[in-house]
Amino acid sequence: MIGLLVGVPLLGAAVLLCGGRRLDRSGHWVGTLLAAVSFAIGAALFASMLGESAGSRAMHSKLFSWVPVEGFQADVAFQLDQLSMTFVLLITGVGTLIHLYSVGYMEHDPARRRFFGYLNLFLAAMLLLVLADNYLLLYVGWEGVGLASYLLIGFWQHKPTAATAAKKAFIVNRVGDAGLAIAIFLMFTTFGSFAFAPVLSSAGDASEGKLTAIGLMLLLAACGKSAQVPLQSWLGDAMEGPTPVSALIHAATMVTAGVYLITRSGAIFNGAPDAQLVVVVVGGVTLLFGAIVGCAKDDIKKALAGSTMSQIGYMILAAGLGPIGYAFAIMHLVTHGFFKAGLFLGAGSVMHGMNDEVDMRRYGGLRKYMPVTFVTFGLGYLAIIGFPGLSGFFSKDQIIEAAFAKGGTEGWILGAVTLLGAAITAYYMTRVMLMTFFGEERWRQAPTPSPAEPDVEPAAETRGEHAEPHPHESPKVMTIPMIVLAFGSVFAGGIFKAGESFVNWLEPVTAFEHGHSPVSASAVTAATVVSLVIGVGAAWFQYGRKPVPVVAPRGNLLTRAARRDLLQDDFNHVVLVSGGTHLTRSLVYVDHKVVDGAVNGTAATFGGLSGRLRRLQNGFARSYAVSMFGGAAVLIAATLLMRAV
Amino acid sequence: MTGITDLASAGGASGASGVPSLWTLAAGAAGAGDKLQAPSIEYGKLSPVLIVLGAAALGVVIDAFAPRKARYGAQLFVVLAGLAAAFAAVIGLAASGVGSSKAQIAGMGALAIDGPTLFLQGTLLLVGIVGAFTFAERRLEPAAHGSRVDSFAAQPASVPGGEGEREAVKAGWTTTEVFPLLMFAVGGMMLFPAANDLLTLFIALEVFSLPLYLLCALARRRRLLSQEAAVKYFLLGAFSSAFLLFGTALLYGYAGTVNYSGIARVVSGADAVSDPVLADTTGNDALLLIGGALVVMGLLFKVGAVPFHMWTPDVYQGAPTPVTGFMAAATKVAAFGALLRLLYVVLPGLRWDWRPVMWGVAILTMLGGAVVAITQTDIKRLLAYSSIAHAGFLLAGVIATSEDGISSVLFYLGAYSFVTLGAFAVVTLVRDAGGEATHLSKWAGLGRRSPLLAAVFAVFLLAFAGIPLTSGFAGKFAVFKAAAEGGAGALVVVGVIASAIAAFFYLRVIVLMFFSEPQADGPSVAVPSVMTTSAIALGVVVTVVLGVAPQYFLDLAGQAGVFVR
């Protein structure tokens, strides 16, 4: 049954990718249906799980023995506990909605069948990742997610930018993958196993140094998949993929994998405070980094991408807090899954109605033309900024509270960072909202080549068409998923918070401790609301009160840096790329001079030897006979000599 | 049979007078000198050999009496039926446990029917079948005056380029005698690794060598080269036979017997020689060492080990290519089988004497074959040197002196023989106006003209080079592993270096085929009949199957890895 969860979308991927053109007309519905079936199975398992008592809800199912070698036992086995269940429902539920939305979004794409095949593959890989009962099988899913994201980001591979972005995502992820691989090696040498149960139960026995090493390697892996500093650079470029892909990557799959990994390996991090500290630092830095980048982007998808980075930063930070934070990290992950999917689908809907325009400076006043998109996007917006009563409020508030509860100077710093993040979040999301749906209708103004960010250039090809866009609402197949997600954005947080139901649900897996905050809960809430108001107000002051220029102003140094993703690519280029180039150049030099020299010298030696020996073969039988005779004499002499000595 | 009776009765008569007789000793009737025992022959156990030799004799009769037109079909039928029946008999014997628990000495002590014998006989029969396919190919040569002809001379007795030859060609004659010759060779080779005394060994050697000398002389094209090769092969072969025979005599002088286990018992001191006539010579270690060395050298000649290898390139190049393929594959199988038995059954007590010498021979053979092959320009000579290098690799396995050594050599022989047959079969297909285009420059760009053929040949070359997923890798790995475990680590290092050198010239041919521009007047690839096609296809299949899933066959060779004493 658990295997079916993975098997159904995998089957879909196989059928769609191998099925050929005869599935072109129906393939998208096949893909959507199979995703829905997987969700139905997940829901059924959830129902049966609810019937059990909290302690006995985890289910195991061994499919087959994968590598049965003495001293090295790898099984293809699944483990479905509360944590996995949460992910399964999120992945299949949001995934199914995105499938449905894509039916409309990709309607005119000739390769729609292939697209749905990849989407199903993505789901299958992600489900394998969260359902595996050992780190090795998790690694398979981990790589599968990397592969599927590569295929989807580069889906329009005829665009060089998309092809490059796909490669970038893949390569940056490799760095993280190497971390996971090393972590698995370390686990095997430390614990003699890589199945969750033995590793996590005996994590307390291992030395702190080893746990720290494993934890840091796991963190490196999480940084790759979850786009955390310093491996964040792929996320922005990944917007080159079709918008549903962005929604899928940012909400339901891929970036959540890192949070899952850290939460799942909680027992290891609990024993390694140093590693936890690094996790918290990474989360905090990324939180601010993403938020600042999000403020400066004029490309609606890239602004949302910065926001994702920042929100995942919140989750990683919460996960780094230990048992006081795990449950909130996952809770925020789920609510974020709803509103971020909704926001991306909304952005896609806007683009759909605006001739694939992504520059927000060419939007404006769209609320009249796209009422459904406006309302659903607006609800997602209110949720993400943490408007009281909506999903994001509950989950983010908990994280901020837990950050203060960390205690000491650390707690104050973390609390301040999370509060600051909340304010910036409110600022940039309000900016997106105002520039897109309010203000004057800037898309009516004559198109001019944009001197702004060079990396939004791909949009120029659509901009070049002088046809004025005619904003219109998207078809039902696209709006319905948005409406469903909007409901989630509004109510999920409240439901999870009511009676601490979510925390209690996860407690058997992640353990939970109440943090003791130096400031009272209500004070934290008040501070959150204040920072929210400050952020919204600043944005309104800048973008709501006065018209938005179509051409971006030059901006100050920080703005310009943020437009270039805070110079992340420049940093990578200078530090890594040029270093690597120098290394390869010097290696090539050594290869040419030393290795080739040795090789050619050896070859010449043997060639010369060969030419000389060859002359012995002169064609005369008499010489051959002499050689035999001489050889025989030598051999006999040698044999006798052996006896003598 | 009269000869045997004469000898036996002479032995019986002489037993009383004190003159020793080989036959009385061979029959183990030392104590019953004056009474002739009726020989007992285990016909069932010998049936594979008997079937093959019987089919060979039948082939002679057919060639003598059947009308010319009917000979080809009849001969081919007899050959294939005989080989298949013999193979079935081998399988039957193996299935009834003769290869393992019921292994025994048969034929009055002359032959050992055990695991290695059956494994090698089975391999030889399969090689014989595939070889017969290539012998019978009649689609490659252009039809001579309307009749299809094969690779063999129209009338071998005619003077090359003379009037007789022209008439024979005009008449469309073919040499159907090649089929009985092939069968005699196969029969002799099957006896060779089974031989359990030195005289049987010698007779088996001659039984398979003489037909091979003849076959080498029968090329239809370039007949002078072919005849020269045959004469060289014959002269040097006779020379090496003399070594073998002389060694036999010395060993008899040492041990008073030619029986393998008898000699071994004398070497180990378990038996003493009581024959007064040999009192002066028995137990003389010099006789043992020189005699043993000479016998081993006779076998090293057949496997083409340095410094007894010099016939190989000339003969491989001159012989008709189907004969080269068969000879390269089958002779190695037979000779290594005999060498294994000799070293493991007769001379294990002398291990510390022959091992260092064999080390030297193996190193020279591996390096010599690989190094000289680098500068070859003829594909058949290249393959000849490659076969020398492979003989060196096999010797490394022989030196292991362990059960693993035996089984790894058996596996290697099986794998190697099919690669060789396939490779030479491919050589027969690449032709120009002068027959086979064996000069390497002609092979440039073959991959563009006939990608399939070039790819197949590339598979064989990769197998020769020992690249993983081919049988060559599995075989080489098994042999080197056995050698390393047998304490010959340094030998393995040299073997790996030689493999690296060898890989160079194998890959050079691949590069030549796929990455060079084809020549304007390049050769064409003939379309063969189903026979050569199946020979090549079988070679590819065996190469890949043994490379991808070698374990079953390694186990099979492992079960066959015990000699009966």
Side-chain angles (χ1 to χ4, degrees):
Chain A
M1 192 74 172
I2 305 179
L4 273 183
L5 274 176
V6 182
V8 166
L10 196 61
L11 174 78
V15 166
L16 290 175
L17 293 177
C18 306
R21 300 200 172 279
R22 96 200 72 130
L23 286 172
D24 271 356
R25 296 169 64 87
S26 58
H28 44 286
W29 289 115
V30 173
T32 311
L33 181 71
L34 289 178
V37 167
S38 190
F39 176 67
I41 297 172
L45 286 170
F46 178 61
S48 76
M49 192 184 262
L50 282 181
E52 304 282 332
S53 68
S56 56
R57 278 174 176 166
M59 286 186 251
H60 263 279
S61 135
K62 180 174 159 183
L63 213 54
F64 60 89
S65 201
W66 181 18
V67 188
V69 180
E70 198 183 335
F72 183 98
Q73 191 66 32
D75 292 334
V76 173
F78 299 119
Q79 170 182 338
L80 185 68
D81 56 12
Q82 289 89 330
L83 181 62
S84 305
M85 193 72 238
T86 312
F87 273 87
V88 165
L89 290 178
L90 176 73
I91 294 163
T92 55
V94 175
T96 305
L97 291 175
I98 292 171
H99 272 75
L100 188 62
Y101 175 90
S102 307
V103 171
Y105 190 85
M106 299 298 282
E107 196 179 352
H108 304 298
D109 199 294
R112 181 162 64 166
R113 174 179 56 85
R114 188 161 55 92
F115 183 78
F116 276 84
Y118 292 161
L119 281 188
N120 272 355
L121 179 66
F122 210 156
L123 286 197
M126 192 66 196
L127 288 168
L128 184 64
L129 195 162
V130 298
L131 286 172
D133 95 322
N134 60 66
Y135 282 97
L136 201 66
L137 191 61
L138 180 147
Y139 190 76
V140 176
W142 191 268
E143 291 294 334
V145 168
L147 169 69
S149 67
Y150 169 80
L151 293 171
L152 283 168
I153 294 169
F155 184 73
W156 287 325
Q157 75 268 59
H158 52 85
K159 288 201 302 188
T161 45
T164 314
K167 264 191 273 182
K168 185 171 177 183
F170 196 71
I171 291 168
V172 174
N173 266 293
R174 301 305 309 169
V175 179
D177 297 347
L180 183 55
I182 295 170
I184 295 175
F185 303 157
L186 287 174
M187 278 174 204
F188 188 71
T189 56
T190 311
F191 305 107
S193 171
F194 34 67
F196 288 153
V199 169
L200 299 177
S201 61
S202 56
D205 307 335
S207 72
E208 194 186 320
K210 279 194 173 148
L211 289 179
T212 307
I214 296 175
L216 289 178
M217 284 299 130
L218 288 174
L219 174 65
L220 181 65
C223 283
K225 276 278 175 292
S226 294
Q228 299 296 293
V229 175
L231 297 179
Q232 81 291 5
S233 63
W234 63 271
L235 192 70
D237 292 16
M239 292 299 118
E240 289 296 339
T243 308
V245 174
S246 309
L248 197 57
I249 288 180
H250 288 246
T253 60
M254 188 95 178
V255 295
T256 58
V259 183
Y260 172 78
L261 184 68
I262 291 181
T263 311
R264 174 60 79 192
S265 317
I268 291 171
F269 284 97
N270 292 346
D274 292 341
Q276 270 187 328
L277 180 65
V278 180
V279 173
V280 169
V281 169
V282 165
V285 169
T286 312
L287 186 174
L288 293 179
F289 188 104
I292 293 169
V293 169
C295 294
K297 291 288 185 184
D298 289 332
D299 179 328
I300 184 166
K301 284 175 73 180
K302 294 204 170 173
L304 291 177
S307 141
T308 300
M309 209 189 286
S310 163
Q311 299 300 316
I312 303 284
Y314 271 110
M315 298 170 208
I316 295 280
L317 186 145
L321 295 173
I324 56 171
Y326 291 134
F328 301 133
I330 301 301
M331 183 167 154
H332 192 55
L333 192 150
V334 176
T335 57
H336 175 256
F338 284 118
F339 55 68
K340 187 50 66 69
L343 288 170
F344 264 110
L345 296 188
S349 173
V350 170
M351 287 161 59
H352 199 68
M354 294 290 292
N355 291 347
D356 286 330
E357 175 64 81
V358 292
D359 187 353
M360 292 190 290
R361 293 188 186 275
R362 297 179 174 278
Y363 292 165
L366 289 179
R367 65 182 185 282
K368 279 182 289 190
Y369 301 92
M370 305 181 179
V372 181
T373 306
F374 168 61
V375 171
T376 55
F377 194 93
L379 289 172
Y381 153 72
L382 290 177
I384 194 173
I385 63 172
F387 192 81
L390 272 69
S391 290
F393 169 74
F394 292 109
S395 52
K396 201 187 285 180
D397 190 48
Q398 300 278 21
I399 293 180
I400 296 173
E401 209 178 307
F404 276 113
K406 174 83 175 162
T409 330
E410 244 176 73
W412 284 103
I413 295 174
L414 291 177
V417 165
T418 49
L419 275 178
L420 180 62
I424 307 179
T425 305
Y427 170 79
Y428 67 75
M429 284 312 298
T430 309
R431 174 175 174 269
V432 169
M433 198 68 195
L434 290 173
M435 284 173 84
T436 304
F437 291 103
F438 293 89
E440 49 188 296
E441 299 168 354
R442 295 183 299 279
W443 37 271
R444 290 195 189 282
Q445 298 171 15
T448 47
S450 164
E453 298 173 61
D455 54 0
V456 296
E457 215 43 48
E461 60 196 19
T462 48
R463 198 176 298 157
E465 310 163 3
H466 288 260
E468 188 175 283
H470 298 284
H472 56 85
E473 187 54 86
S474 298
K476 284 233 163 46
V477 71
M478 287 167 68
T479 50
I480 288 171
M482 288 154 60
I483 295 168
V484 175
L485 288 169
F487 271 99
S489 312
V490 175
F491 300 113
I495 294 169
F496 292 160
K497 173 75 177 151
E500 303 290 347
S501 61
F502 194 78
V503 172
N504 293 337
W505 157 254
L506 274 186
E507 211 243 313
V509 184
T510 61
F512 179 71
E513 290 169 16
H514 267 291
H516 299 288
S517 174
V519 279
S520 72
S522 48
V524 170
T525 309
T528 313
V529 172
V530 167
S531 57
L532 163 73
V533 170
I534 293 172
V536 172
W540 182 80
F541 197 72
Q542 199 173 350
Y543 295 98
R545 221 165 46 110
K546 53 190 181 193
V548 179
V550 176
V551 177
R554 195 158 173 276
N556 59 24
L557 201 61
L558 180 64
T559 315
R560 271 181 285 149
R563 276 191 195 136
R564 293 180 64 98
D565 301 307
L566 290 179
L567 306 177
Q568 61 184 16
D569 285 339
D570 307 74
F571 176 82
N572 286 348
H573 193 85
V574 171
V575 177
L576 300 175
V577 178
S578 64
T581 314
H582 277 125
L583 182 68
T584 48
R585 272 198 201 130
S586 46
L587 285 178
V588 165
Y589 179 82
V590 171
D591 185 51
H592 275 308
K593 294 291 169 188
V594 182
V595 179
D596 283 7
V599 169
N600 292 336
T602 316
T605 312
F606 279 115
L609 190 64
S610 175
R612 233 159 280 152
L613 285 177
R614 198 182 159 188
R615 268 181 243 147
L616 292 176
Q617 190 80 22
N618 56 10
F620 292 117
R622 55 173 188 257
S623 322
Y624 297 175
V626 167
S627 135
M628 282 172 65
F629 187 78
V634 170
L635 286 199
I636 288 172
T639 313
L640 292 176
L641 193 68
M642 281 305 140
R643 174 53 66 95
V645 290
Chain B
M1 287 304 279
T2 50
I4 292 177
T5 340
D6 287 351
L7 269 171
S9 54
S14 61
S17 66
V19 176
S21 157
L22 298 178
W23 289 99
T24 48
L25 287 162
D34 45 7
K35 197 179 169 195
L36 176 63
Q37 279 194 333
S40 66
I41 302 292
E42 293 82 349
Y43 289 101
K45 302 236 159 99
L46 303 183
S47 57
V49 182
L50 294 176
I51 291 170
V52 170
L53 291 178
L58 185 59
V60 174
V61 173
I62 288 172
D63 233 56
F65 295 110
R68 200 177 278 279
K69 296 248 177 228
R71 282 183 204 162
Y72 172 75
Q75 290 284 17
L76 190 56
F77 174 77
V78 168
V79 165
L80 293 179
L83 292 173
F87 188 71
V90 167
I91 297 290
L93 286 175
S96 63
V98 173
S100 46
S101 54
K102 293 189 196 155
Q104 71 170 78
I105 307 289
M108 312 279 290
L111 295 169
I113 308 298
D114 55 12
T117 298
L118 289 181
F119 187 93
L120 293 168
Q121 287 187 341
T123 310
L124 283 166
L125 287 166
L126 290 177
V127 169
I129 290 171
V130 178
F133 282 157
T134 57
F135 274 46
E137 176 63 56
R138 291 195 156 193
R139 299 233 167 187
L140 302 178
E141 287 286 341
H145 303 279
S147 45
R148 293 199 174 281
V149 295
D150 48 29
S151 314
F152 300 101
Q155 192 187 26
S158 60
V159 178
E163 186 62 30
E165 185 185 50
R166 265 196 297 281
E167 282 181 8
V169 170
K170 202 169 179 182
W173 291 354
T174 54
T175 309
T176 43
E177 292 91 333
V178 293
F179 294 107
L181 288 174
L182 171 76
M183 290 302 270
F184 278 119
V186 172
M189 288 168 176
M190 287 166 68
L191 283 174
F192 204 45
N196 194 46
D197 68 49
L198 292 169
L199 281 184
T200 311
L201 182 78
F202 177 71
I203 289 172
L205 174 77
E206 294 303 322
V207 168
F208 81 77
S209 294
L210 291 171
L212 284 182
Y213 302 149
L214 284 175
L215 285 169
C216 285
L218 297 186
R220 174 170 286 265
R221 311 268 191 154
R222 285 178 262 190
R223 290 188 58 200
L224 285 173
L225 194 66
S226 168
Q227 293 182 353
E228 183 193 331
V231 170
K232 277 183 190 165
Y233 192 19
F234 172 67
L235 282 176
L236 298 172
F239 195 34
S240 79
S241 294
F243 280 19
L244 187 91
L245 209 48
F246 189 34
T248 304
L250 293 181
L251 284 180
Y252 178 73
Y254 169 79
T257 174
V258 289
N259 185 274
Y260 280 9
S261 40
I263 299 172
R265 277 199 299 276
V266 175
V267 170
S268 66
D271 276 9
V273 183
S274 53
D275 198 326
V277 177
L278 296 173
D280 292 343
T281 54
T282 44
N284 184 338
D285 270 0
L287 285 189
L288 171 64
L289 293 173
I290 298 175
L294 284 171
V295 173
V296 168
M297 277 182 254
L299 298 178
L300 288 179
F301 173 82
K302 282 291 162 195
V303 305
V306 177
F308 311 102
H309 68 288
M310 308 210 46
W311 60 277
T312 318
D314 293 15
V315 175
Y316 276 28
Q317 187 186 16
T321 309
V323 174
T324 312
F326 167 73
M327 183 168 72
T331 312
K332 270 221 168 45
V333 176
F336 265 106
L339 187 62
L340 277 177
R341 189 180 295 280
L342 191 72
L343 292 178
Y344 282 61
V345 176
V346 183
L347 304 174
L350 295 183
R351 198 158 58 238
W352 304 111
D353 295 296
W354 62 256
R355 267 186 71 152
V357 181
M358 292 296 277
W359 266 66
V361 172
I363 289 174
L364 278 180
T365 308
M366 287 189 281
L367 287 178
V371 167
V372 182
I374 294 175
T375 44
Q376 297 305 313
T377 53
D378 184 283
I379 189 76
K380 283 168 83 177
R381 287 186 84 85
L382 182 92
L383 292 176
Y385 281 105
S386 135
S387 91
I388 295 171
H390 281 279
F393 301 141
L394 280 159
L395 282 176
V398 172
I399 289 169
T401 55
S402 64
E403 240 174 72
D404 274 356
I406 301 174
S407 61
S408 67
V409 169
L410 293 182
F411 179 85
Y412 198 118
L413 286 171
Y416 174 77
S417 53
F418 281 92
V419 182
T420 307
L421 281 170
F424 279 107
V426 171
V427 172
T428 63
L429 300 186
V430 182
R431 311 176 74 89
D432 58 15
E436 287 158 11
T438 54
H439 199 274
L440 269 180
S441 62
K442 298 275 176 72
W443 286 58
L446 194 70
R448 309 213 181 158
R449 292 196 179 163
S450 327
L452 183 64
L453 187 83
V456 165
F457 198 58
V459 169
F460 292 139
L461 289 172
L462 292 175
F464 278 133
I467 304 297
L469 297 185
T470 64
S471 59
F473 173 76
K476 211 177 262 184
F477 184 81
V479 165
F480 284 168
K481 178 166 167 278
E485 283 170 359
L491 197 60
V492 173
V493 172
V494 175
V496 171
I497 292 173
S499 301
I501 300 172
F504 166 76
F505 59 79
Y506 294 128
L507 294 180
R508 195 172 60 126
V509 177
I510 295 180
V511 169
L512 192 69
M513 288 195 298
F514 286 97
F515 303 106
S516 307
E517 284 301 317
Q519 282 185 334
D521 58 341
S524 59
V525 171
V527 180
S529 71
V530 67
M531 285 186 284
T532 301
T533 312
S534 48
I536 296 174
L538 199 64
V540 172
V541 169
V542 171
T543 303
V544 173
V545 168
L546 259 58
V548 174
Q551 197 55 49
Y552 173 77
F553 300 94
L554 282 171
D555 290 345
L556 196 67
Q559 289 161 15
V562 183
F563 286 110
V564 67
R565 281 162 211 277

